[in-house]
Structures are given as structure tokens and as C-alpha cells.
Amino acid sequence: MADDLGRRTTRHAVVIGGSLAGLLAARVLAEHAEKVTVVERDRLPEGPEARPGVPQGRHLHVLIEGGQQALDELLPGFTDELGKLGAPKMGIPRDMVQWQNGRWFRRSAATAHFFTGPRAQLEWLVRQRVLADPRVELVEGVETVGLTGDSSRVRGVRLRERGAGVDKETRTLAADLVVDASGRSTKAADWLADIGAEAPHEETLETGLAYATRVYGSPVGGPDTDALGYYVVPNPSQVYGGVVLPLGDGRHLVTLSGLRGDEPPVEEGAFEEYAKRLPHPVIGDWLARAEPESPVYGFRKTANVRRRYDRPGRRPAGFLATGDALCAFNPIYGQGMAVAALSAVALRRALADPGRTPTTRVVQRALLDASRQAWDISAGADKKMPGATGDATSPGPLDRAVGWYLGRVQQRAAGDPAVGAAFRAVFNLTAPLTSLFAPSVARAVLFGPPVETPAEPPLRREA
């Protein structure tokens, strides 16, 4: 079989990992392959419940608009179904009390929306839709331990059953195409080395950010407000963050964050005490009036990691990486689920492009391009944080000028509805970064003074 992933019939494709990125990749590959096998190391729950293979699954997740549009393209009607399951949908800035860079955002009309329901609920709905296709098969409780083939072509995967008392012998599953969607802890570097191929260079950027999360019921008493959530955004001069978002059914997810050396605790009373580090007591006051409904869960693996399969190297045809196995972001920016969906759309378009032969390298570049804007946002913000480490921290030749301009954008986004709308569209991955340099935005950013913003948390929407 030639290195052509779309023009010839792919008899069998294997996707390593049954999370969002893997399931959505399988959805697309089923349009080209006779059979798609999703290999998942967990035994998946029957309902919308958390599972061990998604260690960040108990923490905050939002589905931003770029991800919503991509999911509706891949699975028509998906966001309507998600809403019917009870996933809350928030309008920004209308429904959020937000503090950033020393300023409270005006709660003017919403120009962006995102869903804030549990990650497990969204993943379960994707799983139900994708596995309804008879061409897609799920193999559970099996881990991938290697690839078959050589440095010129991958021809399958080596698998081993998981669990006590099972046969630990490996077996081979042949495939014309293997897609690694196994997440940020992928073992692809070892798998490639074992067949004589080269691993991709990894770009990394880590701030030492850590966060802790707890579920609370709705608070009792307190000030009159129509806000659905609260967000204190950290920055280089104020490194503590806090978020309160609705899960549905009267429950809320509360996340507190800090940097290495001063991580948020997971002990009962200490979690609420940590909220006093935030620059305003609004979230701490909310916590004092709410009843906890879960333990405190901590999370520490928040580095930005990008694996450069697009660069030259001795790599085999028939092997692709997607999702966090390709590009993993600091989760605090809420982009991971959207990028998983956008990557699947990119995969679909690359395989169906009538003007270009979809070789492994061409398709892999398309997948990387789908994650590029989210990387620029996440890594661009993180490299400014104190103590950031990694080989992606070095500023590029235009970083200083662009950083100065984007700093002025953020200053004005809090009070200027037009600048705020452009800023949110970029952050939600529905508009390119270049849209922030459009003439109408540039005039306000370069020549207009920052618009006045509330002096205190705006507990009511603007009329």
C-alpha cells in the first residue's frame, strides 16, 4: 500500500485511545476505512461517569465555540443534544463576573458562549454517537505496547490485556493506518524507536501551574446576583486563579490554581483558606456560603507539550498523532476539547482534499495546523509567567512587539465591547489571531484610551 491515506481503500484503521480525540478521529476514518478499531486501556462506564484514564476529567472543562462548531460538523445536532442533557450554556461576558489584569469586565451583551457541563457527560455523548456506526469497533481493557512494521511503514499494533489474572502475552492487530490518540502521556517515542524510526522533537513550556477542584452546591444567602460563574484570571504579577462554573442540577465546579511552591491544597479546610490568596474575596465569600459535595482533587500535569512530527526525520508512513498525543496545552485555557474536535475536522478535510494527495506527512501537518492557534495562545501567555521553563520559552523576533499590542488588547477587552468581542472570538478559536489587527480593532487598541470598567465585581448584568 502506497503512502496515500485517502485515494486507496484503507481496509483497517486502528486508533489508540478512546477519549474525545480518538473517538472523533475514528468518526472521520470510518468514512474511508472498511473497519476502524478503537483500542482503549480502560473499561468504559456505561453512563456519563468519570474514568481513570482521564486524570483531568474531574476538573474544569468548557466547550468553547470553536469546538461546538466542529462537533456539530462531525456529529450533526450534537450541541442540541448536549443542551438537552442539561449541560449549562454561558454567555460571555454577560453571565460571568471576571477579573483580569486588575480590572473587572463589564457584563455587556454576550458575544461568545460555552458549555460548562461535566467532561464525562460530553465524552459519553460523543461515544454513543460514534459507536453507533457499525464500522467502528471498541476494544476495551487493552493497552498498546508497541507498533509493528519498520521505519518505512507501520503495519499494526501490539496489544496486551489489562487486569489481574489475564494472559499477559502480547498479540498483534494488523492495520493499514495507526492513529495515536493516547493523550499527553503517549509512549509513541518508545514505540517508534523499537521499529527503528525517530521520535519527534518535543517543544515544552511549563509554568509549574497546579490546581485543585471541588464540587459545591449552590450557595445560600449572600448578595443578589444573576451571575452564573466567576473567574479570576492569573497573570505574571498576580499568579493565583479561581473559577466557579455551573455543572447543572444546582452543582458548581470550583477550581483554584497557583504556581510551583505554592500549589493549592487538597485538604478539606485548607482549600477554602487558599481562596484568600486571590486579589478579591468574591470567590472566597461564595465558598463560605456553599456546601461541598465532593473531595478536593488536585492536578499537576499542566505543561504545554508539542510533538513536531512535521519536522524532517526517519518516520514511518501509516502513523499519525492527534489530540494531546500531538499537542497538549495548559488545561487552564479550556482549549483541549475544542482542539480535539477541530483536529478531526482537519483530518476529514485533508483526507478528502481533491487537490492534494493525502500522504502521512501532509495529513500530519494538517493536524498540527489545527492546534497551532491554541498553542500560540496557551504557550504565548505561559512564557510570560514567572519561573516558566522549557525550550519554548525563548521569545521570537516579533514576540516583544506583538506582546505589547496584545497587552493593550487585553486592557481594553474588559471595557470596550468591540475589542472584547474580537478578543473572545480569537480565544474561542472562531477567528484567527490576525483579526485582532483588523482596522476597527487596531484603532481602538492603538489610539483609544481604556474604557471605564466597574470598580467592584459587577453582580448584575448591564441593562
Side-chain angles (χ1 to χ4, degrees):
M1 179 179 177
D3 182 19
D4 182 336
L5 304 181
R7 300 293 181 263
R8 296 167 181 253
T9 300
T10 299
R11 295 181 297 277
H12 186 209
V14 169
V15 178
I16 304 169
S19 192
L20 289 177
L23 289 167
L24 294 173
R27 165 72 184 91
V28 171
L29 292 173
E31 299 169 357
H32 299 271
E34 296 174 2
K35 179 181 178 181
V36 180
T37 302
V38 178
V39 178
E40 170 53 48
R41 67 194 306 272
D42 281 348
R43 296 209 175 267
L44 300 178
E46 293 185 4
E49 301 162 11
R51 60 187 180 88
V54 187
Q56 205 245 342
R58 297 183 183 275
H59 298 271
L60 180 145
H61 283 81
V62 295
L63 181 63
I64 58 178
E65 284 192 347
Q68 295 170 40
Q69 294 173 6
L71 278 164
D72 278 336
E73 181 175 337
L74 295 163
L75 304 169
F78 180 87
T79 55
D80 287 342
E81 293 182 54
L82 189 62
K84 290 175 183 177
L85 287 176
K89 189 175 185 179
M90 292 184 61
I92 307 300
R94 180 194 63 204
D95 296 331
M96 180 82 83
V97 173
Q98 179 172 336
W99 181 98
Q100 186 171 4
N101 295 320
R103 311 185 83 202
W104 295 103
F105 275 60
R106 292 174 54 191
R107 292 182 57 200
S108 51
T111 63
H113 297 80
F114 56 73
F115 286 96
T116 65
R119 155 76 182 243
Q121 180 185 65
L122 186 145
E123 185 176 306
W124 174 79
L125 182 56
V126 170
R127 191 160 63 240
Q128 296 297 107
R129 291 287 303 270
V130 171
L131 296 183
D133 188 330
R135 295 168 295 185
V136 181
E137 177 188 14
L138 174 66
V139 178
E140 304 174 70
V142 174
E143 61 183 333
T144 301
V145 296
L147 303 171
T148 63
D150 52 38
S151 60
S152 63
R153 169 163 288 281
V154 165
R155 302 189 181 279
V157 293
R158 293 190 296 111
L159 306 176
R160 183 171 60 204
E161 298 289 329
R162 298 184 73 223
V166 301
D167 183 4
K168 294 296 184 178
E169 294 295 320
T170 63
R171 61 184 174 92
T172 297
L173 183 62
D176 303 296
L177 173 65
V178 174
V179 178
D180 178 18
S182 59
R184 66 164 60 228
S185 299
T186 177
K187 301 295 190 299
D190 295 334
W191 301 338
L192 291 168
D194 287 346
I195 60 171
E198 291 180 62
H201 169 69
E202 291 188 1
E203 294 177 320
T204 62
L205 195 156
E206 183 175 10
T207 64
L209 177 106
Y211 55 87
T213 299
R214 195 175 199 183
V215 177
Y216 286 81
S218 296
V220 177
D224 181 32
T225 182
D226 56 9
L228 301 182
Y230 300 82
Y231 189 15
V232 172
V233 184
N235 61 48
S237 61
Q238 193 293 115
V239 299
Y240 300 103
V243 188
V244 179
L245 291 178
L247 284 173
D249 299 328
R251 296 175 304 134
H252 298 75
L253 207 62
V254 180
T255 294
L256 302 177
S257 66
L259 300 186
R260 71 170 65 85
D262 194 11
E263 298 90 348
V266 296
E267 293 77 23
E268 289 273 332
F271 181 78
E272 285 80 4
E273 185 69 19
Y274 191 86
K276 295 179 180 178
R277 289 168 166 80
L278 297 172
H280 192 280
V282 63
I283 290 180
D285 292 345
W286 189 99
L287 289 171
R289 296 180 288 106
E291 190 70 24
E293 295 187 2
S294 79
V296 182
Y297 297 98
F299 192 75
R300 302 291 184 264
K301 294 182 179 180
T302 61
N304 301 280
V305 182
R306 180 162 63 170
R307 298 175 174 94
R308 300 303 301 265
Y309 285 95
D310 59 313
R311 292 182 177 175
R314 191 175 64 257
R315 297 192 194 93
F319 180 80
L320 298 170
T322 191
D324 282 1
L326 176 63
C327 192
F329 313 95
N330 184 338
I332 200 170
Y333 298 105
Q335 300 167 317
M337 296 195 300
V339 172
L342 288 165
S343 297
V345 170
L347 177 64
R348 169 185 273 177
R349 293 174 182 172
L351 292 177
D353 184 354
R356 196 168 193 181
T357 302
T359 63
T360 299
R361 178 164 290 186
V362 165
V363 176
Q364 188 65 80
R365 284 177 177 165
L367 290 168
L368 187 74
D369 286 344
S371 65
R372 194 176 302 278
Q373 181 164 315
W375 172 269
D376 289 343
I377 292 170
S378 180
D382 277 2
K383 69 172 59 176
K384 301 172 187 174
M385 296 298 286
T389 61
D391 61 359
T393 58
S394 301
L398 295 177
D399 278 1
R400 182 170 297 178
V402 172
W404 174 85
Y405 182 85
L406 294 180
R408 292 177 68 89
V409 169
Q410 291 185 38
Q411 288 175 352
R412 286 151 179 78
D416 187 318
V419 176
F423 179 71
R424 284 183 286 277
V426 169
F427 200 86
N428 278 268
L429 306 180
T430 57
L433 279 166
T434 53
S435 65
L436 294 178
F437 298 88
S440 60
V441 178
R443 279 194 298 270
V445 170
L446 295 174
F447 306 114
V451 177
E452 185 177 351
T453 57
E456 292 294 324
L459 298 180
R460 306 296 302 180
R461 299 169 184 160
E462 293 187 4

